[in-house]
C-alpha cells in the first residue's frame, strides 16, 4: 500500500496532467495520466515507442509531436515525443539520444499509463522490472524519500517507493509525485548517457556520484537496453562526434536549429561585453 504523505508538487508540466478519476476510484486505485484543463492542443498519451518506425538505426531519431527533431537538451520529454525517421545519419551524442529515448519512452509510458497492468500482475513485478531496470542498474533515484525545503516542501520519491504510488494510489491524485520521479530520473539518466552540453551545471551531482568525468559516457544502461529490446544498443564509433560538435558546428541543441546552453552562454557573454564597451565609450 502506498504511503502518501500528502499531495506532491511537481514541475510546471504537472499542471498539464491529472489522474483519470475512474481509475483512481477503482480497486486497485491507480493513476492513469490524462490531460487536465490546462493542457493545450491534442493530447496523445502513450508514446508507443516502436523501433520499426525506421529500420536504419542511424536514421532513427527523436521527434516532438509536430515532427521536429529533438537533440540532447536538459529538459523533460513532453506529451507526443516519439521515435521518428530523420534525413541524415545520426552521429555521436545525437545517436546516443535516440538510445536514450528508446529506454525512456517505454518507462515513461509504463509509469504514466500502465499502472493498472502492473497492479494486476502483483505480486509478480515483471513489467515494473522490465521498464525500470535502467534506473536500477544506473543507481538512479536511489536516495531515500525526503521533503524539499524542510517539512513543508514536496515529497521526492525514490526508486523503491515510487512503485507503491504507481500500483496503489490510495484514491489520491499521485500524478505529481510520479511525474517528478520520471523527470528527475530521466535527467540523471541523460547525464550518464550523453557526453556533452547537458553536463554542466545540471549533471554535476551525477558526475560526483558515478565517479565518471563529465565527458565520459556511462555503460550502466547497456544491459537494460538489451533486456528491453533484445538487441545490443548501436553506439557511436570511437572518436565519433555529432554534427553539432564537428567542424563548423555550434554545439549540442535542444531541437533542430536551436543553440546549446553552452553556446548560448557564449553569445550572452559577447553581448554583455559589447554593451559594457559601448557604455565605457559614452563615459569617455
Amino acid at each position: 500500500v502506498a504511503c502518501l504523505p500528502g499531495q506532491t508538487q511537481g514541475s510546471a508540466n504537472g499542471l498539464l496532467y491529472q489522474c483519470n478519476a475512474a481509475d483512481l476510484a477503482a480497486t486497485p486505485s491507480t493513476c492513469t495520466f490524462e490531460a487536465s484543463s490546462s493542457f493545450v492542443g491534442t493530447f496523445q498519451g502513450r508514446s508507443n515507442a516502436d523501433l520499426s518506425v525506421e529500420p536504419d538505426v542511424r536514421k532513427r531519431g527523436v521527434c516532438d509531436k509536430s515532427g521536429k527533431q529533438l537533440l540532447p537538451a536538459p529538459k523533460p520529454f513532453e506529451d507526443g515525443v516519439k521515435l521518428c525517421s530523420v534525413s541524415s545519419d545520426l552521429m555521436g551524442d545525437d545517436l546516443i539520444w535516440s538510445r536514450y529515448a528508446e529506454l525512456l519512452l517505454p518507462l515513461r509510458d509504463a509509469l504514466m499509463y500502465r499502472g493498472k497492468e502492473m497492479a494486476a500482475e502483483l505480486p509478480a513485478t515483471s513489467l515494473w522490472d522490465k521498464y525500470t531496470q535502467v534506473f536500477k542498474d544506473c543507481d538512479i533515484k536511489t536516495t531515500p524519500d525526503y521533503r524539499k525545503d524542510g517539512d513543508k516542501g514536496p515529497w521526492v520519491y525514490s526508486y523503491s517507493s515510487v512503485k507503491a504510488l504507481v500500483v496503489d494510489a490510495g484514491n489520491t491524485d499521485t500524478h505529481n509525485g510520479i511525474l517528478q520521479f520520471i523527470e528527475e530520473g530521466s535527467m540523471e539518466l541523460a547525464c550518464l548517457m550523453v557526453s556533452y552540453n547537458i553536463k554542466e551545471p545540471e549533471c554535476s551531482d551525477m558526475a560526483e556520484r558515478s565517479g565518471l568525468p563529465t565527458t565520459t559516457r556511462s555503460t550502466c544502461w547497456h544491459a537494460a537496453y538489451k533486456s528491453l529490446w533484445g538487441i545490443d544498443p548501436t553506439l557511436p564509433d570511437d572518436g565519433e562526434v555529432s554534427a553539432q560538435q564537428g567542424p563548423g558546428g555550434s554545439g549540442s541543441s535542444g531541437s533542430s536549429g536551436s543553440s546549446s546552453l553552452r553556446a548560448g552562454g557564449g553569445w550572452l557573454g559577447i553581448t554583455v561585453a559589447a554593451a559594457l564597451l559601448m557604455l565605457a565609450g559614452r563615459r569617455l
Side-chain angles (χ1 to χ4, degrees), residues 50-68:
D50 182 5
L51 302 191
S52 67
V53 70
E54 173 53 72
D56 185 345
V57 70
R58 286 274 181 176
K59 285 187 166 64
R60 188 167 63 238
V62 191
C63 291
D64 65 14
K65 190 180 296 184
S66 71
K68 184 177 182 180

Side-chain angles (χ1 to χ4, degrees), residues 7-9 146-156:
Q7 181 76 2
T8 303
Q9 298 173 0
Y146 66 94
R147 298 188 78 158
K148 288 186 176 180
D149 305 319
D151 292 339
K152 296 182 179 180
W155 281 92
V156 178

Side-chain angles (χ1 to χ4, degrees), residues 138-139 191-192 199 203 205-213 216 218:
C138 292
D139 197 30
C191 291
L192 293 169
K199 288 296 182 182
C203 296
D205 180 58
M206 283 306 295
E208 183 177 345
R209 284 168 53 190
S210 67
L212 292 174
T216 300
S218 173

Side-chain angles (χ1 to χ4, degrees), residues 220-283:
C220 65
W221 56 276
H222 291 186
Y225 185 96
K226 186 169 185 178
S227 177
L228 181 63
W229 293 109
I231 54 175
D232 290 317
T234 298
L235 305 172
D237 296 330
D238 290 342
E240 179 183 309
V241 297
S242 70
Q244 287 72 37
Q245 287 180 289
S250 60
S252 171
S253 60
S255 59
S256 297
S258 64
S259 63
S260 69
L261 295 181
R262 188 169 295 170
W267 283 111
L268 179 61
I270 293 171
T271 302
V272 172
L276 290 174
L277 288 172
M278 291 175 63
L279 182 60
R282 289 177 183 175
R283 289 178 177 175

Side-chain angles (χ1 to χ4, degrees), residues 39-86:
F39 192 92
V40 177
T42 303
F43 179 67
Q44 176 175 307
R46 290 194 189 190
S47 299
N48 294 320
D50 182 5
L51 302 191
S52 67
V53 70
E54 173 53 72
D56 185 345
V57 70
R58 286 274 181 176
K59 285 187 166 64
R60 188 167 63 238
V62 191
C63 291
D64 65 14
K65 190 180 296 184
S66 71
K68 184 177 182 180
Q69 185 181 356
L70 301 176
L71 298 177
K75 60 182 182 180
F77 284 159
E78 299 177 351
D79 178 68
V81 170
K82 57 190 176 184
L83 301 180
C84 60
S85 180
V86 297

